[in-house]
Amino acid sequence: MKTSSVLAIAMLIWGTIAGFHDIEADSILVFARQATSLPPCRLNYTTDVWTGCADVIAQFEITLEEFLYANPQLGEGCDGFKPGETYCVFRDSNTRPTSLDGNCGIQANYSASCVGSTFGDCCNPSGKCGKGEDFCGKGNCQEGSCEGGRYSTDGKCGREHDYLPCPPKFGLCCGGNGQCGNATAFCATGCQSGPCLEASTTSASQSPTPTPTTSPGGVSPDGTCGYNDAFVCKGSKFGSCCSAAGYCGDTEYECSQYLGW
Ligand SMILES: *[C@@H]1O[C@H](CO)[C@@H](O)[C@H](O)[C@H]1NC(C)=O
Ligand SMILES: *[C@@H]1O[C@H](CO)[C@@H](O)[C@H](O)[C@H]1NC(C)=O
Ligand SMILES: *[C@@H]1O[C@H](CO)[C@@H](O)[C@H](O)[C@H]1NC(C)=O
């Protein structure tokens, strides 16, 4: 008796669910997708300590919205971004078309991505997809899966050039003139990033080797901020705001809420 009425109720419920199958199943599916499963990630990217949320967005030519969609854990405004962590930069539904002809970058009007292409995941300064050092190495990669993130590909750097840091091939210091170089002229006064020499040192040293002189968490000695050394910009001569790229400044770029902190 008992068993059969349970069975009857069960069948009744089943009938109800089955009757509404289309609506119920679809909304459950949609809900499950939103709640748990995202399309697969096509490229994970490990940021370096210089990389900010804005850098990743710029490098991979995606929108903030797309980046947050691919990494829901980051929260609104990319607040949860931690330099050095690995993030998904391309999920299936937010990719640009993969380059079919091997052309990429600014030369192709950023209309296609090398990532996932048969040529390789990196776009060289001439706008060709490929792999290996010549395409992915620091200073050789304009977009895509570039080694170590974004670096200058033409020797121009700093504020006037999208805050690009300098790769070894052009010299590691970004001079006050927005050009990369290893010479004292680039690493001394006005130096924007890289192993800048202490501003007060009057070229006693010939070698621009990194010489951290301030303890972590102190006022930025070189215009860099956040990340490993946790230098703060307030009180530095470079500006009071720390950009997501890790440089001090006073412009809207460094001070806007979403980019800086
Ligand atoms: C990216 O990382 C996620 C999580 O670790 C993993 O599930 C996914 O397969 C990775 N995708 C690629 C293309 O490596
Ligand atoms: C890129 O855009 C410019 C201006 O709209 C156009 O003249 C050029 O042909 C485009 N190049 C490619 C490769 O699509
Ligand atoms: C600059 O110095 C670095 C580190 O010593 C070196 O690897 C690089 O080749 C140099 N670059 C130039 C352009 O001299």
Side-chain angles (χ1 to χ4, degrees):
M1 270 306 244
K2 237 181 171 176
T3 325
S4 67
S5 48
V6 168
L7 199 69
I9 291 165
M11 281 176 79
L12 193 72
I13 292 170
W14 172 247
T16 311
I17 292 173
F20 286 97
H21 171 80
D22 288 345
I23 300 162
E24 296 264 338
D26 287 355
S27 53
I28 287 167
L29 252 178
V30 168
F31 177 76
R33 271 175 74 97
Q34 283 172 349
T36 56
S37 64
L38 285 164
C41 182
R42 277 178 54 186
L43 179 69
N44 290 310
Y45 176 66
T46 301
T47 59
D48 69 3
V49 294
W50 296 108
T51 316
C53 186
D55 293 313
V56 179
I57 289 165
Q59 181 184 330
F60 291 95
E61 293 289 324
I62 54 178
T63 64
L64 174 64
E65 203 180 18
E66 287 169 337
F67 188 54
L68 296 181
Y69 158 78
N71 302 274
Q73 78 277 18
L74 289 176
E76 247 178 77
C78 220
D79 296 337
F81 188 91
K82 292 194 190 73
E85 303 259 296
T86 300
Y87 294 106
C88 178
V89 287
F90 288 108
R91 282 208 190 272
D92 269 351
S93 62
N94 70 3
T95 51
R96 280 178 292 160
T98 301
S99 178
L100 297 176
D101 56 6
N103 293 323
C104 58
I106 192 164
Q107 289 87 348
N109 292 338
Y110 297 110
S111 59
S113 168
C114 295
V115 176
S117 83
T118 55
F119 303 91
D121 290 341
C122 300
C123 183
N124 77 1
S126 319
K128 298 287 174 196
C129 298
K131 51 190 140 201
E133 176 65 24
D134 288 350
F135 290 83
C136 302
K138 290 176 184 173
N140 298 336
C141 185
Q142 62 163 304
E143 63 159 354
S145 191
C146 304
E147 179 199 330
R150 296 167 79 208
Y151 281 87
S152 171
T153 54
D154 59 3
K156 294 180 178 152
C157 59
R159 285 184 210 305
E160 310 298 318
H161 303 286
D162 215 9
Y163 293 86
L164 290 170
C166 294
K169 68 183 278 194
F170 298 119
L172 295 166
C173 291
C174 180
N177 59 356
Q179 297 284 334
C180 300
N182 276 341
T184 307
F186 297 93
C187 301
T189 313
C191 177
Q192 299 187 54
S193 65
C196 297
L197 298 166
E198 263 309 276
S200 52
T201 316
T202 41
S203 62
S205 164
Q206 297 277 63
S207 135
T209 40
T211 46
T213 51
T214 310
S215 52
V219 174
S220 176
D222 59 1
T224 67
C225 53
Y227 311 147
N228 285 350
D229 289 330
F231 290 144
V232 296
C233 297
K234 215 169 167 138
S236 82
K237 65 187 175 79
F238 302 95
S240 318
C241 300
C242 181
S243 75
Y247 300 106
C248 300
D250 279 323
T251 70
E252 208 181 339
Y253 177 87
E254 289 89 2
C255 299
S256 85
Q257 248 186 339
Y258 133 61
L259 291 167
W261 57 77

